[in-house]
Amino acid sequence: MAELTRRHRYLVLGICCLSLFLVSTDNTIVNVALPSMRADLNASVSGLQWIIDAYTLVVASLLMLGGSMADKYGRKRFFLIGTGTFVLGSLLCSVAPSLGWLIAFRMLQAVGGSMMNPVAMSIITNTFTDPKERAGAIGMWGAVVGISMSAGPALGGILVTGAGWQSIFWINVPVGIFALAMTLKFVPESKAEHSRKFDPAGQFLIFAFLVSLVFTIIEGPAKGWGSPLIVFTGAVAVGSLVGLLVVESRIEEPLIQLKFFRSAPFSGATVIAVCAFASLGGFLFLNTLYLQDVRGYSPLHAGLYTLPMALMTLIFAPISGRIVGTLGARIPLLIAGIGFVASALMLTRLTPTTSFAWLAVAYVIFGISFGMVNAPITNTAVSGMPRSQAGVASAIASTSRQVGQSLGVAVVGSIVTASIVGEISDGFTAAAVPAWFVIAGAGVVVTVLAVVTTGRWARSTADRIDQPVLV
């Protein structure tokens, strides 16, 4: 690929960040519309969980495939196909006549998203060849991840109140078409010098593991943990995971390079991503139901209540990037982990009359924590692989985020479902207490890994990998 001017490079970065904003916002913008969807589509709590997790599961399952295929067949080509599929899926979601159709169209939307996200990162990494300039571009990319996902509920509240839940999907259509036009005009085509072979067994096992695991968690409370179906899907999850580890360790070019997980910083970043985004998914799911079903707020007011979190993420995401660049990942990860714990513990004390001041403080702390956690995840993951495999490197970090969000929604939703009989508003705050403690536990894991994976021992494990992993 020919060297681009500085202005052209940053234009490409802007186009890629726009696509990321679309995909990431769609992860969270749906949350604030859930009560409206439940009323229109007659959905249960588990149905609401599937509206979110159908999207995140498909994205998580296909991200690594999308990154590796784009490296092989052309990044611009895959980016265009992914954006077009995402726009089509969004349009179909807006006209879905039932819960089942909405879930199906969300899956189509996710197929497009799985092609957009890692491919955009690969385009960025190969557009910015100067290491210092590339680090700044990756930092901006990481900031957009946090900002877009935390801003989703506020934006969704405005749209749902003004034009119904369908509007959260309408907005993707003109923005997506604009991104398509800009990509055609300004983004150059590129491929990896060496791309890995397709790994059908690994791809199938990843999908089987994630779907069976999340199905077991979501449907377990309603169907019974000892029911034949739940026992079967649980066994499929365990068997798929074992099979994945065996298959990926024995083929020459696996979908998941297990050797990179020998590096404590890289594997730590993966676990931190799962925990952080599980916290985000659980936090948004619980707060949506609390603010709208327990407190009786409109979607707009519920979205506005989460603005403190979004603003803190907006402010602290770039600050985290600068700290990582100068002092390393430990400080922002410690702030994030401790903040997740503090915020979740505050929210265990929610009542139907909790003051806005208490909520605002908890939301501010959570927003700071989420803003701090993204830059170290992205930096470590992308730095841990060769530039020619940037799509795969980005996809591993992005997959961890999507898996985390899926698990967060599945786990906290199942905890609440198991405790509530009748309307959601009846006994929700008491039923949600264990779920908030689960989120606090995820924060504890982030805090511990912040220390364990950023020290001298951790760096020595990274040095034993073929390509260095930076922290």
Side-chain angles (χ1 to χ4, degrees):
M1 183 174 66
E3 185 71 21
L4 305 178
T5 65
R6 188 175 188 275
R7 180 179 178 182
H8 196 163
R9 289 196 299 274
Y10 279 94
L11 182 59
V12 171
L13 174 63
I15 295 168
C16 292
C17 285
L18 177 62
S19 74
L20 174 66
F21 188 86
L22 274 180
V23 175
S24 297
T25 302
D26 220 74
N27 281 335
T28 58
I29 196 173
V30 172
N31 279 274
V32 78
L34 290 178
S36 299
M37 291 175 173
R38 185 180 70 247
D40 284 356
L41 304 174
N42 193 29
S44 62
V45 173
S46 62
L48 300 182
Q49 291 172 273
W50 280 118
I51 291 172
I52 297 174
D53 277 359
Y55 181 88
T56 54
L57 275 176
V58 173
V59 172
S61 299
L62 298 179
L63 273 173
M64 284 178 282
L65 176 64
S68 61
M69 291 295 100
D71 284 342
K72 182 175 183 178
Y73 294 109
R75 299 178 180 113
K76 178 178 180 178
R77 178 185 304 172
F78 263 68
F79 191 64
L80 288 169
I81 296 172
T83 304
T85 304
F86 184 84
V87 169
L88 175 61
S90 298
L91 185 61
L92 292 173
C93 284
S94 71
V95 297
S98 66
L99 176 64
W101 280 111
L102 178 59
I103 292 172
F105 294 148
R106 285 280 285 167
M107 295 175 73
L108 176 63
Q109 193 186 29
V111 171
S114 70
M115 299 172 73
M116 295 166 67
N117 195 337
V119 178
M121 170 56 84
S122 185
I123 290 171
I124 290 171
T125 309
N126 286 273
T127 297
F128 290 86
T129 56
D130 177 73
K132 185 176 181 180
E133 199 175 48
R134 188 191 312 134
I138 292 173
M140 188 176 298
W141 170 267
V144 171
V145 172
I147 293 166
S148 58
M149 295 191 74
S150 59
L155 177 60
I158 296 171
L159 292 171
V160 173
T161 300
W165 63 262
Q166 294 86 350
S167 62
I168 65 175
F169 300 111
W170 293 339
I171 190 94
N172 293 335
V173 177
V175 178
I177 291 173
F178 175 75
L180 278 170
M182 295 293 286
T183 302
L184 279 169
K185 186 176 178 67
F186 295 107
V187 176
E189 184 60 280
S190 63
K191 298 179 183 180
E193 294 180 3
H194 172 72
S195 57
R196 294 180 301 166
K197 298 176 182 178
F198 177 48
D199 176 14
Q203 182 61 60
F204 172 78
L205 289 168
I206 288 174
F207 186 75
F209 168 65
L210 293 177
V211 171
S212 58
L213 175 63
V214 171
F215 182 92
T216 302
I217 295 171
I218 290 179
E219 300 296 338
K223 298 185 183 303
W225 293 107
S227 69
L229 178 60
I230 296 303
V231 171
F232 172 73
T233 55
V236 171
V238 174
S240 299
L241 178 59
V242 173
L244 179 66
L245 295 176
V246 172
V247 169
E248 298 300 270
S249 64
R250 292 183 177 181
I251 63 177
E252 184 180 352
E253 296 186 358
L255 186 63
I256 300 178
Q257 289 278 4
L258 297 181
K259 68 176 182 179
F260 287 103
F261 291 93
R262 299 173 193 163
S263 162
F266 185 84
S267 57
T270 302
V271 177
I272 289 169
V274 171
C275 290
F277 279 75
S279 299
L280 177 69
F283 173 90
L284 293 176
F285 189 82
L286 293 175
N287 272 292
T288 293
L289 299 180
Y290 170 73
L291 292 172
Q292 294 189 54
D293 287 292
V294 178
R295 301 296 289 262
Y297 294 136
S298 68
L300 174 60
H301 287 127
L304 292 176
Y305 259 66
T306 64
L307 272 180
M309 182 197 72
L311 290 174
M312 290 303 101
T313 301
L314 176 65
I315 293 170
F316 282 90
I319 293 175
S320 174
R322 288 195 290 271
I323 295 174
V324 170
T326 55
L327 300 175
R330 177 174 289 189
I331 292 176
L333 288 177
L334 282 173
I335 294 172
I338 293 169
F340 285 138
V341 174
S343 177
L345 291 180
M346 288 185 68
L347 293 170
T348 62
R349 302 185 62 184
L350 288 183
T351 70
T353 58
T354 298
S355 68
F356 172 71
W358 185 268
L359 288 173
V361 172
Y363 292 173
V364 163
I365 295 173
F366 192 94
I368 293 171
S369 304
F370 191 67
M372 279 288 179
V373 82
N374 265 296
I377 292 171
T378 303
N379 181 75
T380 304
V382 175
S383 300
M385 290 192 187
R387 187 158 63 94
S388 63
Q389 300 296 329
V392 177
S394 160
I396 290 176
S398 297
T399 298
S400 302
R401 292 182 172 102
Q402 301 293 337
V403 169
Q405 191 177 356
S406 297
L407 291 177
V409 172
V411 171
V412 303
S414 295
I415 290 172
V416 170
T417 300
S419 303
I420 290 181
V421 178
E423 296 295 323
I424 293 177
S425 56
D426 298 333
F428 174 85
T429 52
V433 170
W436 289 120
F437 276 115
V438 169
I439 294 175
V444 171
V445 174
V446 173
T447 305
V448 172
L449 290 178
V451 177
V452 173
T453 65
T454 57
R456 183 176 300 174
W457 167 81
R459 286 192 291 272
S460 70
T461 65
D463 291 339
R464 291 194 289 269
I465 307 299
D466 292 342
Q467 289 80 25
V469 179
L470 305 179
V471 293

